[in-house]
């Protein structure tokens, strides 16, 4: 019995150490779609906020250029849908754009492009997310990163992010079809890893806090080992 109690305590301490080491890995800027219904036609939804440092502003730059990755995104139509229409449907988009410029880029009165916008040079094609930018500007010039989610196939797309800020995830459907659902993930990675920009500077605090907790745990373990007989017999009170 004398060796059993210290052994059990050691196992608990190792488990706590593993949990502490994996906590940082569990925090990531990943938004996952699991059979999410499509938005109503001619509508958009804001879903999430990503916190990104540009490469030059990042506190660490060990992992290169920050990026957004649209991974495994695919639309699935409901039973009975028009297969020909679904095969060519490109009205569903997922985009990230700066929070500070959201209402500058997105007009609440008109955020879906039409043929007239294509003719005027304001959009590349109809039935896509329309932003209020100069016709000479590209999406990347206003820090807009978009991905069209198609039916029946998925193609990963990775785009570098060039500006520091909070980015809003927008889920839009600028077509006239919504009988389906979307699955896949959107991943945003900073130059130092997956930790959100607003959490990075908390790491020293959490580090010192972990040190305090570790010290207290060692003191507790030492006292428990010293007085284990009393702790054992108290269970029979």
């Amino acid at each position: 019995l004398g060796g059993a109690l210290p052994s059990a305590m050691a196992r608990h301490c190792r488990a706590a150490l593993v949990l502490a080491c994996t906590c940082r890995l569990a925090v990531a800027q990943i938004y996952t779609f699991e059979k999410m219904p499509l938005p109503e036609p001619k509508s958009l939804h804001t879903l999430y906020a990503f916190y990104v440092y540009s490469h030059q502003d990042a506190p660490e730059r060990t992992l290169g250029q920050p990026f957004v990755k649209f991974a495994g995104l695919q639309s699935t139509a409901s039973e009975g849908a028009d297969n020909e229409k679904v095969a060519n449907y490109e009205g569903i988009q997922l985009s990230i754009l700066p929070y500070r410029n959201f209402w500058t880029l997105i007009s609440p009165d008109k955020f879906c492009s039409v043929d007239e916008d294509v003719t005027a040079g304001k959009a590349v094609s109809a039935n896509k997310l329309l932003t209020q930018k100069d016709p000479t500007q590209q999406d990347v010039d206003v820090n807009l990163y978009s991905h069209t989610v198609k039916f029946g196939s998925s193609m990963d797309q990775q785009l570098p992010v060039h500006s520091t800020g909070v980015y809003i995830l927008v889920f839009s459907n600028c077509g006239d079809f919504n009988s389906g659902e979307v699955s896949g993930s959107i991943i945003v990675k900073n130059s130092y890893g997956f930790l959100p920009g607003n959490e990075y500077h908390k790491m020293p605090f959490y580090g010192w806090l972990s040190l305090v907790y570790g010290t207290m745990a060692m003191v507790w373990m030492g006292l428990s080992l010293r007085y284990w007989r009393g702790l054992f017999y108290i269970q029979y009170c």
Side-chain angles (χ1 to χ4, degrees):
L1 180 62
L5 188 61
S7 178
M9 289 181 181
R11 286 197 301 270
H12 286 304
C13 289
R14 286 196 296 268
L17 180 61
V18 171
L19 180 60
C21 291
T22 55
C23 281
R24 181 178 176 181
L25 300 177
V27 181
Q29 296 193 97
I30 301 175
Y31 191 93
T32 301
F33 293 81
E34 295 182 357
K35 297 183 178 181
M36 181 178 290
L38 299 180
E40 292 296 318
K42 310 298 181 185
S43 70
L44 64 78
H45 298 265
T46 56
L47 301 177
Y48 193 70
F50 296 104
Y51 297 82
V52 186
Y53 277 109
S54 66
H55 186 260
Q56 59 268 28
D57 292 339
E60 291 182 37
R61 306 172 189 172
T62 54
L63 300 179
Q65 183 72 28
F67 64 79
V68 55
K69 183 176 183 179
F70 302 91
L73 288 162
Q74 180 178 342
S75 297
T76 305
S78 303
E79 292 185 10
D82 185 340
N83 291 331
E84 183 176 352
K85 182 176 182 179
V86 164
N88 300 314
Y89 192 78
E90 295 189 352
I92 304 163
Q93 287 181 285
L94 285 160
S95 312
I96 66 167
L97 64 158
Y99 169 77
R100 65 178 179 273
N101 298 332
F102 184 86
W103 293 115
T104 303
L105 294 172
I106 302 295
S107 170
D109 300 319
K110 184 182 180 182
F111 49 81
C112 289
S113 63
V114 294
D115 292 332
E116 287 78 7
D117 297 313
V118 178
T119 304
K122 296 180 179 180
V124 176
S125 59
N127 301 321
K128 293 291 186 72
L129 183 66
L130 178 67
T131 54
Q132 305 301 309
K133 65 180 187 296
D134 190 279
T136 62
Q137 292 181 306
Q138 302 294 319
D139 287 347
V140 68
D141 295 330
V142 294
N143 299 303
L144 170 66
Y145 307 95
S146 297
H147 178 78
T148 299
V149 185
K150 298 184 178 181
F151 285 89
S153 64
S154 65
M155 181 177 295
D156 291 359
Q157 183 181 17
Q158 182 171 307
L159 301 170
V161 179
H162 300 287
S163 181
T164 298
V166 181
Y167 286 78
I168 300 298
L169 174 60
V170 175
F171 188 18
S172 60
N173 182 5
C174 284
D176 56 2
F177 179 84
N178 70 319
S179 298
E181 55 196 19
V182 170
S183 296
S185 299
I186 296 180
I187 304 166
V188 173
K189 186 176 182 180
N190 275 292
S191 294
Y192 51 79
F194 291 102
L195 193 67
N198 63 324
E199 297 289 341
Y200 180 87
H201 296 286
K202 299 177 183 177
M203 288 199 298
F205 168 74
Y206 291 136
W208 283 108
L209 195 62
S210 298
L211 183 62
V212 171
Y213 283 156
T215 302
M216 293 176 66
M218 294 299 293
V219 171
W220 172 83
M221 184 172 69
L223 292 174
S224 297
L225 290 173
R226 181 177 180 181
Y227 300 107
W228 72 268
R229 294 182 183 276
L231 291 175
F232 178 77
Y233 289 118
I234 201 173
Q235 305 301 321
Y236 293 95
C237 293

PDB file of all heavy atoms in Angstrom, residues 207-225:
ATOM      1  N   GLY A 207       1.341  31.426 -18.506  1.00  0.00           N
ATOM      2  CA  GLY A 207       2.569  30.723 -18.154  1.00  0.00           C
ATOM      3  C   GLY A 207       2.896  30.856 -16.674  1.00  0.00           C
ATOM      4  O   GLY A 207       3.211  29.861 -16.002  1.00  0.00           O
ATOM      5  N   TRP A 208       2.831  32.087 -16.145  1.00  0.00           N
ATOM      6  CA  TRP A 208       3.080  32.297 -14.715  1.00  0.00           C
ATOM      7  C   TRP A 208       2.012  31.605 -13.875  1.00  0.00           C
ATOM      8  O   TRP A 208       2.306  31.042 -12.814  1.00  0.00           O
ATOM      9  CB  TRP A 208       3.113  33.790 -14.402  1.00  0.00           C
ATOM     10  CG  TRP A 208       4.385  34.456 -14.820  1.00  0.00           C
ATOM     11  CD1 TRP A 208       4.568  35.320 -15.848  1.00  0.00           C
ATOM     12  CD2 TRP A 208       5.669  34.279 -14.216  1.00  0.00           C
ATOM     13  NE1 TRP A 208       5.882  35.700 -15.946  1.00  0.00           N
ATOM     14  CE2 TRP A 208       6.589  35.080 -14.938  1.00  0.00           C
ATOM     15  CE3 TRP A 208       6.138  33.525 -13.141  1.00  0.00           C
ATOM     16  CZ2 TRP A 208       7.943  35.141 -14.625  1.00  0.00           C
ATOM     17  CZ3 TRP A 208       7.495  33.592 -12.822  1.00  0.00           C
ATOM     18  CH2 TRP A 208       8.370  34.381 -13.550  1.00  0.00           C
ATOM     19  N   LEU A 209       0.768  31.641 -14.346  1.00  0.00           N
ATOM     20  CA  LEU A 209      -0.303  30.975 -13.611  1.00  0.00           C
ATOM     21  C   LEU A 209      -0.066  29.469 -13.555  1.00  0.00           C
ATOM     22  O   LEU A 209      -0.271  28.828 -12.514  1.00  0.00           O
ATOM     23  CB  LEU A 209      -1.650  31.278 -14.284  1.00  0.00           C
ATOM     24  CG  LEU A 209      -2.915  30.976 -13.478  1.00  0.00           C
ATOM     25  CD1 LEU A 209      -2.960  31.813 -12.203  1.00  0.00           C
ATOM     26  CD2 LEU A 209      -4.159  31.236 -14.320  1.00  0.00           C
ATOM     27  N   SER A 210       0.405  28.893 -14.666  1.00  0.00           N
ATOM     28  CA  SER A 210       0.712  27.465 -14.688  1.00  0.00           C
ATOM     29  C   SER A 210       1.851  27.142 -13.727  1.00  0.00           C
ATOM     30  O   SER A 210       1.838  26.103 -13.061  1.00  0.00           O
ATOM     31  CB  SER A 210       1.092  27.034 -16.109  1.00  0.00           C
ATOM     32  OG  SER A 210       0.025  27.242 -17.002  1.00  0.00           O
ATOM     33  N   LEU A 211       2.833  28.062 -13.649  1.00  0.00           N
ATOM     34  CA  LEU A 211       3.948  27.845 -12.725  1.00  0.00           C
ATOM     35  C   LEU A 211       3.468  27.851 -11.280  1.00  0.00           C
ATOM     36  O   LEU A 211       3.886  27.009 -10.462  1.00  0.00           O
ATOM     37  CB  LEU A 211       5.012  28.935 -12.940  1.00  0.00           C
ATOM     38  CG  LEU A 211       6.294  28.815 -12.108  1.00  0.00           C
ATOM     39  CD1 LEU A 211       7.026  27.521 -12.434  1.00  0.00           C
ATOM     40  CD2 LEU A 211       7.201  30.014 -12.359  1.00  0.00           C
ATOM     41  N   VAL A 212       2.570  28.770 -10.948  1.00  0.00           N
ATOM     42  CA  VAL A 212       2.017  28.826  -9.592  1.00  0.00           C
ATOM     43  C   VAL A 212       1.242  27.554  -9.291  1.00  0.00           C
ATOM     44  O   VAL A 212       1.396  26.936  -8.221  1.00  0.00           O
ATOM     45  CB  VAL A 212       1.118  30.069  -9.427  1.00  0.00           C
ATOM     46  CG1 VAL A 212       0.361  30.016  -8.095  1.00  0.00           C
ATOM     47  CG2 VAL A 212       1.945  31.342  -9.499  1.00  0.00           C
ATOM     48  N   TYR A 213       0.393  27.144 -10.244  1.00  0.00           N
ATOM     49  CA  TYR A 213      -0.379  25.919 -10.050  1.00  0.00           C
ATOM     50  C   TYR A 213       0.547  24.710  -9.902  1.00  0.00           C
ATOM     51  O   TYR A 213       0.310  23.817  -9.073  1.00  0.00           O
ATOM     52  CB  TYR A 213      -1.326  25.693 -11.229  1.00  0.00           C
ATOM     53  CG  TYR A 213      -2.556  26.556 -11.210  1.00  0.00           C
ATOM     54  CD1 TYR A 213      -3.244  26.849 -12.386  1.00  0.00           C
ATOM     55  CD2 TYR A 213      -3.068  27.065 -10.025  1.00  0.00           C
ATOM     56  CE1 TYR A 213      -4.388  27.642 -12.383  1.00  0.00           C
ATOM     57  CE2 TYR A 213      -4.201  27.858 -10.002  1.00  0.00           C
ATOM     58  CZ  TYR A 213      -4.860  28.144 -11.184  1.00  0.00           C
ATOM     59  OH  TYR A 213      -5.990  28.916 -11.179  1.00  0.00           O
ATOM     60  N   GLY A 214       1.602  24.666 -10.729  1.00  0.00           N
ATOM     61  CA  GLY A 214       2.535  23.544 -10.642  1.00  0.00           C
ATOM     62  C   GLY A 214       3.234  23.496  -9.298  1.00  0.00           C
ATOM     63  O   GLY A 214       3.418  22.414  -8.713  1.00  0.00           O
ATOM     64  N   THR A 215       3.636  24.678  -8.802  1.00  0.00           N
ATOM     65  CA  THR A 215       4.288  24.740  -7.486  1.00  0.00           C
ATOM     66  C   THR A 215       3.348  24.276  -6.379  1.00  0.00           C
ATOM     67  O   THR A 215       3.729  23.487  -5.497  1.00  0.00           O
ATOM     68  CB  THR A 215       4.761  26.177  -7.199  1.00  0.00           C
ATOM     69  OG1 THR A 215       5.653  26.596  -8.241  1.00  0.00           O
ATOM     70  CG2 THR A 215       5.463  26.260  -5.858  1.00  0.00           C
ATOM     71  N   MET A 216       2.103  24.758  -6.434  1.00  0.00           N
ATOM     72  CA  MET A 216       1.116  24.341  -5.435  1.00  0.00           C
ATOM     73  C   MET A 216       0.853  22.841  -5.503  1.00  0.00           C
ATOM     74  O   MET A 216       0.682  22.175  -4.478  1.00  0.00           O
ATOM     75  CB  MET A 216      -0.172  25.134  -5.633  1.00  0.00           C
ATOM     76  CG  MET A 216      -0.034  26.621  -5.338  1.00  0.00           C
ATOM     77  SD  MET A 216      -1.543  27.553  -5.699  1.00  0.00           S
ATOM     78  CE  MET A 216      -2.648  26.862  -4.465  1.00  0.00           C
ATOM     79  N   ALA A 217       0.840  22.305  -6.735  1.00  0.00           N
ATOM     80  CA  ALA A 217       0.611  20.862  -6.895  1.00  0.00           C
ATOM     81  C   ALA A 217       1.762  20.060  -6.300  1.00  0.00           C
ATOM     82  O   ALA A 217       1.535  19.014  -5.665  1.00  0.00           O
ATOM     83  CB  ALA A 217       0.434  20.527  -8.371  1.00  0.00           C
ATOM     84  N   MET A 218       3.002  20.536  -6.489  1.00  0.00           N
ATOM     85  CA  MET A 218       4.145  19.831  -5.932  1.00  0.00           C
ATOM     86  C   MET A 218       4.118  19.880  -4.401  1.00  0.00           C
ATOM     87  O   MET A 218       4.437  18.883  -3.733  1.00  0.00           O
ATOM     88  CB  MET A 218       5.440  20.454  -6.455  1.00  0.00           C
ATOM     89  CG  MET A 218       5.659  20.278  -7.948  1.00  0.00           C
ATOM     90  SD  MET A 218       5.760  18.549  -8.445  1.00  0.00           S
ATOM     91  CE  MET A 218       7.278  18.076  -7.641  1.00  0.00           C
ATOM     92  N   VAL A 219       3.736  21.046  -3.852  1.00  0.00           N
ATOM     93  CA  VAL A 219       3.625  21.159  -2.396  1.00  0.00           C
ATOM     94  C   VAL A 219       2.559  20.205  -1.873  1.00  0.00           C
ATOM     95  O   VAL A 219       2.761  19.490  -0.884  1.00  0.00           O
ATOM     96  CB  VAL A 219       3.308  22.612  -1.986  1.00  0.00           C
ATOM     97  CG1 VAL A 219       2.975  22.690  -0.495  1.00  0.00           C
ATOM     98  CG2 VAL A 219       4.486  23.528  -2.317  1.00  0.00           C
ATOM     99  N   TRP A 220       1.415  20.200  -2.587  1.00  0.00           N
ATOM    100  CA  TRP A 220       0.325  19.296  -2.190  1.00  0.00           C
ATOM    101  C   TRP A 220       0.767  17.838  -2.251  1.00  0.00           C
ATOM    102  O   TRP A 220       0.474  17.042  -1.350  1.00  0.00           O
ATOM    103  CB  TRP A 220      -0.871  19.533  -3.094  1.00  0.00           C
ATOM    104  CG  TRP A 220      -1.977  18.530  -2.899  1.00  0.00           C
ATOM    105  CD1 TRP A 220      -2.951  18.529  -1.955  1.00  0.00           C
ATOM    106  CD2 TRP A 220      -2.192  17.347  -3.694  1.00  0.00           C
ATOM    107  NE1 TRP A 220      -3.779  17.426  -2.102  1.00  0.00           N
ATOM    108  CE2 TRP A 220      -3.320  16.690  -3.155  1.00  0.00           C
ATOM    109  CE3 TRP A 220      -1.544  16.799  -4.796  1.00  0.00           C
ATOM    110  CZ2 TRP A 220      -3.815  15.509  -3.708  1.00  0.00           C
ATOM    111  CZ3 TRP A 220      -2.029  15.622  -5.334  1.00  0.00           C
ATOM    112  CH2 TRP A 220      -3.148  14.987  -4.790  1.00  0.00           C
ATOM    113  N   MET A 221       1.482  17.471  -3.311  1.00  0.00           N
ATOM    114  CA  MET A 221       1.921  16.095  -3.461  1.00  0.00           C
ATOM    115  C   MET A 221       2.922  15.726  -2.361  1.00  0.00           C
ATOM    116  O   MET A 221       2.857  14.633  -1.781  1.00  0.00           O
ATOM    117  CB  MET A 221       2.556  15.885  -4.833  1.00  0.00           C
ATOM    118  CG  MET A 221       2.954  14.435  -5.099  1.00  0.00           C
ATOM    119  SD  MET A 221       3.501  14.145  -6.796  1.00  0.00           S
ATOM    120  CE  MET A 221       5.036  15.060  -6.757  1.00  0.00           C
ATOM    121  N   GLY A 222       3.838  16.684  -2.057  1.00  0.00           N
ATOM    122  CA  GLY A 222       4.808  16.402  -0.999  1.00  0.00           C
ATOM    123  C   GLY A 222       4.145  16.204   0.349  1.00  0.00           C
ATOM    124  O   GLY A 222       4.486  15.270   1.093  1.00  0.00           O
ATOM    125  N   LEU A 223       3.171  17.072   0.668  1.00  0.00           N
ATOM    126  CA  LEU A 223       2.456  16.929   1.938  1.00  0.00           C
ATOM    127  C   LEU A 223       1.628  15.646   1.968  1.00  0.00           C
ATOM    128  O   LEU A 223       1.522  14.980   3.012  1.00  0.00           O
ATOM    129  CB  LEU A 223       1.563  18.144   2.164  1.00  0.00           C
ATOM    130  CG  LEU A 223       2.300  19.467   2.415  1.00  0.00           C
ATOM    131  CD1 LEU A 223       1.298  20.627   2.468  1.00  0.00           C
ATOM    132  CD2 LEU A 223       3.120  19.409   3.710  1.00  0.00           C
ATOM    133  N   SER A 224       1.052  15.292   0.818  1.00  0.00           N
ATOM    134  CA  SER A 224       0.248  14.062   0.757  1.00  0.00           C
ATOM    135  C   SER A 224       1.127  12.834   0.967  1.00  0.00           C
ATOM    136  O   SER A 224       0.715  11.882   1.645  1.00  0.00           O
ATOM    137  CB  SER A 224      -0.462  13.974  -0.598  1.00  0.00           C
ATOM    138  OG  SER A 224      -1.364  15.051  -0.766  1.00  0.00           O
ATOM    139  N   LEU A 225       2.315  12.856   0.385  1.00  0.00           N
ATOM    140  CA  LEU A 225       3.229  11.725   0.569  1.00  0.00           C
ATOM    141  C   LEU A 225       3.705  11.636   2.021  1.00  0.00           C
ATOM    142  O   LEU A 225       3.878  10.540   2.567  1.00  0.00           O
ATOM    143  CB  LEU A 225       4.430  11.872  -0.370  1.00  0.00           C
ATOM    144  CG  LEU A 225       4.148  11.681  -1.858  1.00  0.00           C
ATOM    145  CD1 LEU A 225       5.383  12.020  -2.678  1.00  0.00           C
ATOM    146  CD2 LEU A 225       3.701  10.248  -2.136  1.00  0.00           C
TER     147      LEU A 225
END
